Amino acid sequence: DVQLQASGGGYVQAGGSLRLSCTASGLTYDYDDYAIGWFRQAPGEEREGVSCISTEDGSAVYTDSVKGRFTISIDNAKKTAYLQMNNLQPEDTAVYYCATSKWWRPLKLKPLRFDFWGQGTQVTVSS
């Protein structure tokens, strides 16, 4: 079975940092490469794409609101993706989900392109 284990959420004050991790296991895509993405969903809001990265070459995309603050990275050997979140703001408060997609070219932050999802980890930023 495919499992995505997300961790690293928590409670921080505005300006603080957190690092999220997502470890994938049991993936059975036709190709060795794929994309891992981070999405978030605040209460009453739609799920929003935050960032995703290609396992092929480490290329990544970000939503505009996190550019310059968040950095996604990947350790292919560990099948683990990380989301370093700096200068967190109250508007970043949400449940963060990781997901994988068999479509890694081009990278797109569209939830429908992602096949498998983790359980979510809460990030709360106080003002």
Side-chain angles (χ1 to χ4, degrees), residues 1-4 24-28 116:
D1 292 347
V2 176
Q3 288 192 336
L4 297 178
S25 61
L27 289 174
T28 57
F116 302 107

Side-chain angles (χ1 to χ4, degrees), residues 6-64:
S7 62
Y11 179 96
V12 295
Q13 292 187 330
S17 298
L18 286 172
R19 189 175 84 150
L20 305 182
S21 299
C22 175
T23 299
S25 61
L27 289 174
T28 57
Y29 289 136
D30 291 339
Y31 298 96
D32 291 336
D33 294 306
Y34 53 95
I36 298 182
W38 287 98
F39 296 78
R40 64 187 180 186
Q41 189 166 19
E45 301 288 332
E46 292 188 354
R47 190 165 295 189
E48 173 193 28
V50 176
S51 180
C52 64
I53 188 168
S54 163
T55 63
E56 179 184 26
D57 58 7
S59 59
V61 295
Y62 299 87
T63 192
D64 286 346

Side-chain angles (χ1 to χ4, degrees), residues 11-19 69-70 84-90 92 123 125-126:
Y11 179 96
V12 295
Q13 292 187 330
S17 298
L18 286 172
R19 189 175 84 150
R69 301 189 298 123
F70 291 10
Q84 178 66 43
M85 305 185 295
N86 297 329
N87 191 22
L88 283 159
Q89 300 299 315
D92 296 315
V123 172
V125 185
S126 65

